[in-house]
Amino acid sequence: MPDVPALSVIPVASLPRPALLDLRVAPAQQRFVGRVVDLLADAQSRPSADPLAFVLGEQAIGLCCIERAPRTIAPIDLDAPTVGLRGFFIDARWQGRGLGRRALAALLDSLAQRHPAARWLVLSVDEDNAAALALYRQAGFVDGAQRYHGASAGRQQCLLLRELAGDAFP
């Protein structure tokens, strides 16, 4: 059985910028994610942002941003300490191999160390993004009972993962 390279979550500042700028999504996904250069600029402009890269072995394969100000992710107020997730994606050249699931699980595992006070994770996903909705629901996210039209891609659905200390993908 061949060795499966480790998938890790590291700060984007730990990687060379050209490796990050080389990441891309499929053209049909562009409206959901946007351009990498814009995601990085947005994350680096906000002190509340924690931009992270997914690395398989030594290769950057995706990005996301954890937001310590979750109201910037979804317009809802929550009762527990919460962080937000934005811009989660796996590079188009690496999709279809189960790496989105592995990356999300690695991210959820790392949140206890990165943001120990957080108990919940909130995100906003386009209602037409069936692949993302399926992934998040498999990981245990539930409907946050909020819909809004706040993004260029279309109507957004808020999803919530409670009790970050638990295992992802039951």
Side-chain angles (χ1 to χ4, degrees):
M1 184 167 159
D3 288 336
V4 176
L7 194 148
S8 56
V9 182
I10 64 172
V12 296
S14 302
L15 292 171
R17 190 158 175 86
L20 298 170
L21 293 175
D22 189 45
L23 297 171
R24 61 181 184 268
V25 295
Q29 298 168 316
Q30 191 76 44
R31 71 184 185 112
F32 301 132
V33 178
R35 297 179 331 145
V36 171
V37 68
D38 296 332
L39 290 171
L40 292 172
D42 178 61
Q44 292 167 344
S45 73
R46 288 180 290 101
S48 60
D50 184 9
L52 302 168
F54 300 110
V55 178
L56 185 66
E58 309 249 337
Q59 174 77 42
I61 64 161
L63 292 174
C64 74
C65 186
I66 295 299
E67 180 60 61
R68 290 182 298 274
R71 195 134 171 61
T72 66
I73 301 288
I76 58 175
D77 294 314
L78 300 164
D79 296 333
T82 305
V83 292
L85 174 61
R86 100 170 54 238
F88 178 92
F89 79 93
I90 298 299
D91 181 279
R93 295 162 288 191
W94 291 92
Q95 291 178 9
R97 304 177 197 188
L99 294 171
R101 182 181 172 108
R102 283 183 62 196
L104 184 56
L107 175 65
L108 295 175
D109 287 345
S110 78
L111 285 177
Q113 289 79 39
R114 293 181 189 287
H115 301 281
R119 295 293 165 255
W120 295 357
L121 177 64
V122 67
L123 60 85
S124 176
V125 62
D126 189 283
E127 289 183 329
D128 293 334
N129 193 341
L133 284 165
L135 175 69
Y136 297 136
R137 287 190 175 124
Q138 288 172 2
F141 283 83
V142 297
D143 192 338
Q146 179 77 16
R147 305 277 193 289
Y148 69 100
H149 197 304
S152 59
R155 280 183 49 88
Q156 301 292 297
Q157 179 175 354
C158 297
L159 297 179
L160 184 64
L161 182 65
R162 293 184 169 98
E163 302 309 320
L164 286 177
D167 290 329
F169 300 101

